Amino acid sequence: MRRTSFPWPARTIGLIMASLMAITACGSDDDTGSGSPSASGSVAEILDPSDWDAVVEAARGQTVNWYLYGGSESINRFVDETYGPALSQRYDITLNRVPVADTVDAVNQVLAEAEAGTENGSVDLIWINGENFSTLKEAELLLPAWAEAIPGAALVDWDNPAINLDFGVPVEGQESPWSSAQFQLVYDTARMSADELPRSYAAMKDWACAHPGRFTYIAPGPGAFQGTRFVKGALYELSGDPALWKLFDQALWDQWSPALWAYLDELAPCLWREGETYPKDENELHALFANQEVDFTITQAAVGPGSLIAEGLVPSTAKAFVFDANSIGDFNYVTIPANAANAAAALVLANLILDPTLQARQIVPENGFGLGFAIDVGRVSDPAQRAALDTAAASLGDAAAPADELARALVGDAAAEYQDLVEQGWRENVSGGL
Amino acid sequence: MTARIAWRATALIVLAAPLLTLVLQAFSTRWFFPDALPAEWTLRGWRGIGSDDRTLSAFGTGVVVSGAVTVASCAMAWPAARVLARSSFRWRGPVMVVLFVPHLVPAVGLAIGLDVALLRLDLAGGRPGVVLAHLVTTIPYTVAILTAVFTRHDDRARQQAAVLGATPWQALRMVTLRLVGPGLVVAALFSFLVSWSQYLVTLLVGGGRVVTITMLVFSSVAGGNPTSIGVLALMAALPPLLVLVLAGRIAVREIVDPTASP
């Protein structure tokens, strides 16, 4: 009896497991292009971006796995409809857009593969900026010095510190710009007229305290750079000169940070929920704004809330505006991990992103992306392309802030060291250790 | 009687309200405070993301992966549970603790750890790897449930059948499965639900090549578009709901009338 007491399990389980593996295995690799035939551990060394024809040839038939924040449906659609067809038609490359809830998930994948010593990495391209870039760069896990060597780099103003520094970290050709962003506020024209708007941090505090609970900002912290940026702008205004903050100076920080915390502490009781809690990201703030709990939200897009309106996230009467000064602008990028299995296709895609025709497409609000140009329009010599860019720049829609006001208020980001100081100091001094 | 009806109605409302909100969101846009009900109804969500090729294939991938995980998880837990259920087995406690360790560490740690381990074994980057990784999270539940089932199960019924000339297959099908059936269904249900809800493990171990509907829900929630969230969440809720109803019916029938034919 003992001998036959387990009649079913052993062999049957083995069979089931084997057939399950077989079933799940088929179809799982058919559309991937993972570990492409020519790829080896030294892809990065073989590829020379200055020999562009060889890169394009190597990329033929590859699938580029592009990890990007998948939360915006309009951006997802823009990527699928713009880059997907262009890649397949012009270069015989398949685009596999991998949606992640947070870019840090893609960073974790690269770190895990480094830990495991994987040579044919699954991440080919990441939409990235700020601390995620600096994490990968410090770990030396990025493809070195390619961004200034691809053909499209000729259209990028690499001498601009807003481009060659990412949150103050030198880019050194390890990422290539996709688009530009600038800190702006959004109001609802149905609730407020343009001449009532506060146009400085001082005026914002007065407005907030005259309308208690109707304003708040995003809690500064990793992954919520818009909040950090709002606080940095206040630091610029208080110190009176944004240029002071380009290089790191501890004494300067010690001199001005008390005034910064004093300003934010005075502002706090006038905020939504009396500053006891803050929205953790843009989307929470958009929802508060859309549901009329607060009267302002924050955006970084050239089209203002144009894409948000198209997606139905905020009322169609929303419109962007900027303070008279201290509106921090920067760029966002794509980067290639050093172990990317399809690095050649990733290079082709990073270069395609800089194509003037596609750059023109990306800023028009109807197309759903809505962030600004990465390229310097002045460097585009082809008249047709130049015309397309100019037309696009003139069709940002009614929700966009006036271009001259944006340009007048634009300032660069502070040195990288201030990022942590602002975020940590805010937690200690303003939020009371949230 | 009326009290009982009122209680049931309240329970139903409390349980159904969140789901109802999702339904309203999925069919509307620009639903802002102070509107009690959406003012703008639309099928845009369903025509767009709801019928997108990527969404449909992610739905299929999710069903295949979680289905495979469920079958494998029950099959692997069965023999383990039979041993653990023996009164002579002294290490039940420690074994359970070890099995549940993956649920005690932070989710990110587990996901990265599994990813690194499976990458080293060259199993990451496809569905088989994702199934293996999910098993780590589902097996504790199936083992715990089946152990409880087998602890109460009297194997002599099957032995009786064998004595009376039943083949092992007949004894399993007509005796053992009838007796442990409801427990097995509950174990399968848990396994499916736990596997279905994985995001980070799927993303990392799948290497971006295994995209399930749950991953789409997670990235969509991060973006905060209520229409898309509603559509994707409803789609993602469908298989678990179906499994739940099915499991409920089978389990109840088996308990109420163990002689009913399956």
Side-chain angles (χ1 to χ4, degrees):
Chain A
M1 227 48 226
R2 187 47 59 207
R3 196 181 61 83
T4 55
S5 76
F6 300 115
W8 184 52
R11 268 179 309 161
T12 324
I13 289 173
L15 211 69
I16 289 179
M17 290 302 289
S19 45
L20 277 175
M21 288 300 150
I23 292 166
T24 54
C26 63
S28 71
D29 276 315
D30 51 4
D31 53 354
T32 66
S34 70
S36 65
S38 63
S40 75
S42 49
V43 212
E45 287 137 50
I46 296 167
L47 283 174
D48 175 10
S50 54
D51 184 2
W52 191 246
D53 291 340
V55 172
V56 171
E57 192 48 46
R60 202 168 293 282
Q62 288 188 340
T63 292
V64 55
N65 297 294
W66 185 5
Y67 281 60
L68 72 166
Y69 169 72
S72 166
E73 205 188 312
S74 54
I75 294 179
N76 292 343
R77 202 169 46 240
F78 174 75
V79 168
D80 289 344
E81 290 174 2
T82 305
Y83 303 116
L87 280 172
S88 68
Q89 285 156 18
R90 296 189 207 171
Y91 301 104
D92 187 22
I93 291 171
T94 311
L95 171 64
N96 178 33
R97 177 174 59 78
V98 183
V100 292
D102 191 323
T103 305
V104 79
D105 296 335
V107 172
N108 282 332
Q109 175 72 307
V110 175
L111 293 173
E113 286 177 359
E115 171 79 25
T118 307
E119 289 178 341
N120 287 319
S122 54
V123 186
D124 297 318
L125 197 72
I126 312 173
W127 185 20
I128 203 163
N129 71 348
E131 52 265 304
N132 287 318
F133 171 68
S134 83
T135 302
L136 290 178
K137 185 172 180 245
E138 263 169 43
E140 296 182 2
L141 294 175
L142 295 174
L143 193 65
W146 56 271
E148 294 181 52
I150 57 177
L155 303 176
V156 176
D157 181 6
W158 277 107
D159 295 329
N160 179 356
I163 293 185
N164 62 38
L165 299 174
D166 180 359
F167 282 31
V169 176
V171 168
E172 292 170 349
Q174 298 187 23
E175 55 179 2
S176 175
W178 182 4
S179 69
S180 57
Q182 183 174 353
F183 184 91
Q184 301 157 64
L185 291 165
V186 175
Y187 72 110
D188 186 345
T189 53
R191 284 182 242 171
M192 213 185 288
S193 70
D195 48 348
E196 292 174 68
L197 297 172
R199 294 289 184 166
S200 68
Y201 281 88
M204 187 79 238
K205 193 177 82 186
D206 294 343
W207 187 94
C209 291
H211 304 84
R214 304 300 299 172
F215 175 66
T216 190
Y217 56 92
I218 298 162
F225 68 90
Q226 301 92 338
T228 313
R229 196 156 281 183
F230 173 79
V231 174
K232 281 184 192 165
L235 186 62
Y236 284 10
E237 180 173 309
L238 289 165
S239 65
D241 184 6
L244 286 176
W245 304 95
K246 278 192 175 146
L247 296 172
F248 178 66
D249 179 353
Q250 183 70 43
L252 190 73
W253 171 255
D254 293 339
Q255 181 190 343
W256 287 106
S257 55
L260 178 64
W261 308 135
Y263 169 82
L264 294 172
D265 279 336
E266 284 165 33
L267 179 63
C270 303
L271 295 178
W272 175 73
R273 296 206 179 158
E274 293 168 355
E276 277 171 20
T277 180
Y278 293 79
K280 73 168 189 330
D281 57 30
E282 258 188 336
N283 295 306
E284 282 190 21
L285 187 54
H286 292 333
L288 289 176
F289 171 72
N291 291 309
Q292 305 196 14
E293 287 195 68
V294 297
D295 287 324
F296 298 102
T297 184
I298 290 170
T299 186
Q300 308 279 322
V303 298
S307 308
L308 301 172
I309 292 171
E311 238 189 290
L313 296 182
V314 299
S316 47
T317 44
K319 186 171 166 62
F321 74 103
V322 279
F323 289 165
D324 291 332
N326 302 313
S327 156
I328 297 177
D330 73 343
F331 288 77
N332 53 80
Y333 306 80
V334 289
T335 193
I336 305 174
N339 74 342
N342 307 289
L347 283 168
V348 171
L349 176 50
N351 187 61
L352 180 72
I353 282 173
L354 299 171
D355 182 308
T357 322
L358 301 187
Q359 286 277 313
R361 277 202 62 175
Q362 78 186 23
I363 73 162
V364 179
E366 292 80 55
N367 293 334
F369 186 63
L371 290 169
F373 297 137
I375 57 172
D376 176 2
V377 175
R379 293 174 185 237
V380 176
S381 49
D382 182 272
Q385 290 181 335
R386 183 64 193 267
L389 290 163
D390 291 340
T391 310
S395 15
L396 295 182
D398 296 335
D404 55 332
E405 291 181 17
L406 283 172
R408 197 170 59 225
L410 178 64
V411 291
D413 208 339
E417 290 84 350
Y418 293 117
Q419 188 82 8
D420 278 349
L421 287 175
V422 166
E423 290 173 358
Q424 211 179 323
W426 185 86
R427 275 195 298 277
E428 286 162 8
N429 294 286
V430 183
S431 80
L434 258 186
Chain B
M1 194 60 192
T2 38
R4 201 168 133 194
I5 291 172
W7 188 87
R8 280 190 178 183
T10 315
L12 197 69
I13 289 168
V14 168
L15 291 174
L19 218 58
L20 193 69
T21 313
L22 280 182
V23 174
L24 292 178
Q25 280 183 354
F27 289 96
S28 68
T29 185
R30 285 185 254 271
W31 180 19
F32 304 133
F33 180 84
D35 301 341
L37 284 173
E40 275 184 68
W41 299 93
T42 176
L43 284 173
R44 198 180 60 183
W46 295 98
R47 293 217 181 98
I49 198 158
S51 49
D52 194 55
D53 280 350
R54 284 180 63 98
T55 310
L56 296 178
S57 96
F59 186 86
T61 305
V63 171
V64 169
V65 166
S66 292
V69 168
T70 303
V71 175
S73 179
C74 289
M76 291 166 78
W78 179 293
R82 293 204 66 158
V83 174
L84 286 169
R86 285 186 186 168
S87 54
S88 59
F89 189 80
R90 276 190 283 163
W91 305 100
R92 191 188 302 173
V95 168
M96 283 300 179
V97 169
V98 169
L99 280 178
F100 272 101
V101 161
H103 288 279
L104 300 178
V105 300
V108 180
L110 175 69
I112 294 180
L114 280 173
D115 191 23
V116 170
L118 289 167
L119 278 166
R120 288 214 171 109
L121 296 170
D122 210 12
L123 282 168
R127 289 186 196 175
V130 172
V131 170
L132 282 175
H134 280 200
L135 280 173
V136 174
T137 65
T138 62
I139 278 183
Y141 291 102
T142 42
V143 169
I145 294 166
L146 288 180
T147 302
V149 169
F150 282 122
T151 310
R152 289 151 163 254
H153 171 69
D154 189 347
D155 195 46
R156 282 176 303 186
R158 188 193 53 76
Q159 294 171 9
Q160 185 75 55
V163 167
L164 292 173
T167 64
W169 174 244
Q170 283 174 321
L172 171 77
R173 199 166 55 86
M174 299 171 78
V175 180
T176 310
L177 272 183
R178 288 297 167 82
L179 291 172
V180 303
L184 188 63
V185 167
V186 173
L189 172 70
F190 263 83
S191 174
F192 188 87
L193 293 183
V194 170
S195 162
W196 189 258
S197 63
Q198 297 297 327
Y199 158 71
L200 200 55
V201 168
T202 317
L203 173 69
L204 290 185
V205 176
R209 279 162 230 136
V210 184
V211 177
T212 62
I213 184 109
T214 308
M215 283 169 62
L216 298 186
V217 173
F218 268 78
S219 63
S220 171
V221 166
N225 182 332
T227 314
S228 317
I229 295 172
V231 168
L232 288 174
L234 282 184
M235 289 178 75
L238 211 62
L241 217 61
L242 216 67
V243 171
L244 202 67
V245 170
L246 222 65
R249 292 185 64 143
I250 294 172
V252 168
R253 193 179 53 201
E254 293 288 333
I255 290 163
V256 172
D257 178 14
T259 59
S261 65

